Amino acid sequence: MKIICVGRNYADHIAELQNETPSDPVIFMKPETALVQRGQPFFVPDFSRDVHHELELVLRVCKNGRHIDEEFAPTYYDAIGLGIDFTARDLQSELKQKGLPWELAKAFDGSAPISPVFRPVSELGDVRNLNFRLEVNGQVRQRGNSGLLLHPFARIISFVSQFITLKQGDLIFTGTPAGVGPVVPGDELRGFLDDELLLSVPVR
Ligand code: MG
């Protein structure tokens, strides 16, 4: 399986990092070794002094497809969970400045904790109105709503599949809203979809 991620997909987050708004989705990938499942801790890597949390809605791909029309894209995912796109911001800034790929800042081991449970789309109601939030040590740090996505789910799936074949079991991180910030050992991260606690990540 593979993990496909979308960057710069909420206007408030683009503003906080002073990035430009892209006309097409910004796509990058993480390897399977980035996954952290079942409530395992996230270990802050020693190559960064500024690892940020980015809480995101994550789509689970349920069938293989390429060149998917936007109209049919909703049939290619069947469940939505939460994930954290951990980002070594200092390393990312350095790489961006040099015009180099972000890979090392985004794809390192353990950089993609996901919720143990994904909610079936059939139970979620309108997927264009999903609220989610991140609490760090009990304080709300990020709030998002899928209605504010610059590139909604169907557009992401359609766009990516023009270049990369989607396969059953792939995960798509759909972008983070504003409020990203550094984590330190001892932090407890909790992600809520609507008001349901789906994701707990202890930082070590
Ligand atoms: Mg992200």
Side-chain angles (χ1 to χ4, degrees):
M1 61 82 65
K2 55 189 176 291
I3 305 167
I4 295 161
C5 304
V6 184
R8 304 180 190 174
N9 209 11
Y10 287 91
D12 58 355
H13 174 62
I14 292 171
E16 75 179 344
L17 293 189
Q18 298 177 329
N19 282 319
E20 284 180 18
T21 303
S23 52
D24 283 332
V26 172
I27 304 296
F28 59 96
M29 291 171 74
K30 294 180 186 247
E32 197 172 350
T33 41
L35 275 186
V36 181
Q37 289 170 291
R38 299 179 224 300
Q40 293 295 109
F42 169 73
F43 294 93
V44 178
D46 55 13
F47 54 75
S48 174
R49 294 181 172 278
D50 196 27
V51 174
H52 281 199
H53 56 73
E54 296 190 357
L55 182 70
E56 311 199 0
L57 293 168
V58 180
L59 311 179
R60 188 176 69 194
V61 174
C62 61
K63 60 182 177 184
N64 300 358
R66 59 197 289 260
H67 299 294
I68 300 164
D69 201 280
E70 223 170 295
E71 182 188 349
F72 302 111
T75 66
Y76 283 81
Y77 66 97
D78 65 353
I80 299 177
L82 292 174
I84 296 181
D85 166 20
F86 275 117
T87 304
R89 194 71 71 200
D90 44 0
L91 183 54
Q92 186 192 32
S93 301
E94 208 181 299
L95 293 166
K96 272 164 76 176
Q97 263 173 24
K98 293 180 185 165
L100 294 171
W102 302 338
E103 233 66 16
L104 293 177
K106 286 282 197 181
F108 57 88
D109 286 354
S111 62
I114 56 166
S115 53
V117 171
F118 275 55
R119 297 278 309 279
V121 169
S122 55
E123 289 175 10
L124 281 171
D126 185 1
V127 298
R128 289 160 304 180
N129 186 23
L130 298 173
N131 287 299
F132 61 107
R133 70 175 191 275
L134 178 75
E135 293 183 2
V136 180
N137 306 323
Q139 308 264 25
V140 178
R141 294 283 177 79
Q142 294 191 266
R143 276 184 197 282
N145 180 286
S146 57
L148 298 173
L149 284 164
L150 297 176
H151 302 289
F153 301 152
R155 162 93 174 122
I156 296 169
I157 286 172
S158 175
F159 179 81
V160 170
S161 73
Q162 308 305 313
F163 300 85
I164 301 167
T165 299
L166 294 180
K167 297 190 82 171
Q168 185 179 22
D170 288 348
L171 297 173
I172 302 176
F173 278 59
T174 57
T176 199
V180 302
V183 296
V184 293
D187 283 346
E188 297 286 334
L189 276 48
R190 293 207 170 84
F192 296 79
L193 178 55
D194 288 324
D195 278 320
E196 186 188 356
L197 175 63
L198 276 199
L199 175 68
S200 294
V201 182
V203 178
R204 298 292 179 259

mmCIF file of all heavy atoms in Angstrom, residues 3 27 29-31 77 85 95 101 126 128 179:
data_model
loop_
_atom_site.group_PDB
_atom_site.id
_atom_site.type_symbol
_atom_site.label_atom_id
_atom_site.label_comp_id
_atom_site.label_asym_id
_atom_site.label_seq_id
_atom_site.Cartn_x
_atom_site.Cartn_y
_atom_site.Cartn_z
ATOM 1 N N ILE A 3 0.800 5.719 0.801
ATOM 2 C CA ILE A 3 0.131 6.836 1.464
ATOM 3 C C ILE A 3 0.337 8.072 0.595
ATOM 4 O O ILE A 3 1.470 8.500 0.368
ATOM 5 C CB ILE A 3 0.724 7.078 2.864
ATOM 6 C CG1 ILE A 3 0.664 5.801 3.700
ATOM 7 C CG2 ILE A 3 0.002 8.222 3.559
ATOM 8 C CD1 ILE A 3 1.506 5.867 4.969
ATOM 9 N N ILE A 27 0.792 17.291 -4.279
ATOM 10 C CA ILE A 27 0.805 15.876 -3.888
ATOM 11 C C ILE A 27 2.205 15.434 -3.470
ATOM 12 O O ILE A 27 3.197 15.773 -4.121
ATOM 13 C CB ILE A 27 0.343 14.993 -5.083
ATOM 14 C CG1 ILE A 27 -1.039 15.422 -5.580
ATOM 15 C CG2 ILE A 27 0.370 13.506 -4.706
ATOM 16 C CD1 ILE A 27 -2.168 15.252 -4.579
ATOM 17 N N MET A 29 4.127 11.832 -1.123
ATOM 18 C CA MET A 29 3.821 10.497 -0.617
ATOM 19 C C MET A 29 4.664 10.150 0.595
ATOM 20 O O MET A 29 5.715 10.732 0.840
ATOM 21 C CB MET A 29 4.036 9.461 -1.721
ATOM 22 C CG MET A 29 2.991 9.608 -2.819
ATOM 23 S SD MET A 29 3.311 8.599 -4.265
ATOM 24 C CE MET A 29 2.884 7.005 -3.622
ATOM 25 N N LYS A 30 4.129 9.230 1.373
ATOM 26 C CA LYS A 30 4.878 8.653 2.483
ATOM 27 C C LYS A 30 4.916 7.133 2.262
ATOM 28 O O LYS A 30 3.953 6.574 1.747
ATOM 29 C CB LYS A 30 4.182 8.922 3.817
ATOM 30 C CG LYS A 30 4.130 10.402 4.228
ATOM 31 C CD LYS A 30 3.427 10.560 5.571
ATOM 32 C CE LYS A 30 3.216 12.006 5.935
ATOM 33 N NZ LYS A 30 4.005 12.441 7.109
ATOM 34 N N PRO A 31 6.001 6.484 2.678
ATOM 35 C CA PRO A 31 6.069 5.031 2.528
ATOM 36 C C PRO A 31 5.302 4.323 3.645
ATOM 37 O O PRO A 31 4.926 4.950 4.650
ATOM 38 C CB PRO A 31 7.564 4.743 2.645
ATOM 39 C CG PRO A 31 8.072 5.812 3.560
ATOM 40 C CD PRO A 31 7.230 7.035 3.263
ATOM 41 N N TYR A 77 -13.558 5.422 -2.353
ATOM 42 C CA TYR A 77 -13.184 5.335 -0.930
ATOM 43 C C TYR A 77 -14.426 4.966 -0.141
ATOM 44 O O TYR A 77 -15.537 5.360 -0.478
ATOM 45 C CB TYR A 77 -12.544 6.634 -0.418
ATOM 46 C CG TYR A 77 -13.460 7.842 -0.395
ATOM 47 C CD1 TYR A 77 -14.113 8.228 0.772
ATOM 48 C CD2 TYR A 77 -13.668 8.607 -1.539
ATOM 49 C CE1 TYR A 77 -14.957 9.339 0.800
ATOM 50 C CE2 TYR A 77 -14.505 9.707 -1.517
ATOM 51 C CZ TYR A 77 -15.153 10.059 -0.348
ATOM 52 O OH TYR A 77 -15.978 11.147 -0.342
ATOM 53 N N ASP A 85 -0.039 14.045 9.870
ATOM 54 C CA ASP A 85 1.063 14.175 8.912
ATOM 55 C C ASP A 85 2.180 14.902 9.650
ATOM 56 O O ASP A 85 2.300 16.120 9.573
ATOM 57 C CB ASP A 85 0.549 14.963 7.693
ATOM 58 C CG ASP A 85 1.656 15.464 6.792
ATOM 59 O OD1 ASP A 85 2.778 14.924 6.857
ATOM 60 O OD2 ASP A 85 1.391 16.414 6.021
ATOM 61 N N LEU A 95 14.873 22.450 2.878
ATOM 62 C CA LEU A 95 14.754 21.803 1.561
ATOM 63 C C LEU A 95 14.012 22.707 0.577
ATOM 64 O O LEU A 95 14.397 22.837 -0.588
ATOM 65 C CB LEU A 95 14.037 20.459 1.697
ATOM 66 C CG LEU A 95 14.818 19.374 2.470
ATOM 67 C CD1 LEU A 95 13.912 18.207 2.843
ATOM 68 C CD2 LEU A 95 16.017 18.886 1.664
ATOM 69 N N PRO A 101 13.102 18.399 -3.093
ATOM 70 C CA PRO A 101 11.894 17.706 -2.617
ATOM 71 C C PRO A 101 11.841 17.643 -1.087
ATOM 72 O O PRO A 101 12.882 17.616 -0.431
ATOM 73 C CB PRO A 101 12.049 16.295 -3.200
ATOM 74 C CG PRO A 101 13.029 16.421 -4.314
ATOM 75 C CD PRO A 101 13.947 17.547 -3.934
ATOM 76 N N ASP A 126 -23.075 13.674 5.267
ATOM 77 C CA ASP A 126 -22.489 14.502 4.216
ATOM 78 C C ASP A 126 -20.975 14.622 4.410
ATOM 79 O O ASP A 126 -20.522 15.269 5.352
ATOM 80 C CB ASP A 126 -23.155 15.889 4.263
ATOM 81 C CG ASP A 126 -22.692 16.779 3.122
ATOM 82 O OD1 ASP A 126 -21.871 16.321 2.287
ATOM 83 O OD2 ASP A 126 -23.160 17.933 3.074
ATOM 84 N N ARG A 128 -19.032 16.385 2.862
ATOM 85 C CA ARG A 128 -18.570 17.763 2.647
ATOM 86 C C ARG A 128 -18.827 18.642 3.874
ATOM 87 O O ARG A 128 -18.687 19.855 3.831
ATOM 88 C CB ARG A 128 -19.252 18.372 1.418
ATOM 89 C CG ARG A 128 -18.756 17.768 0.107
ATOM 90 C CD ARG A 128 -19.756 18.014 -0.990
ATOM 91 N NE ARG A 128 -21.069 17.489 -0.614
ATOM 92 C CZ ARG A 128 -22.152 17.558 -1.385
ATOM 93 N NH1 ARG A 128 -22.100 18.152 -2.557
ATOM 94 N NH2 ARG A 128 -23.296 17.036 -0.975
ATOM 95 N N GLY A 179 -3.259 25.972 12.567
ATOM 96 C CA GLY A 179 -3.026 25.609 13.965
ATOM 97 C C GLY A 179 -1.894 24.622 14.158
ATOM 98 O O GLY A 179 -1.675 24.133 15.259
#
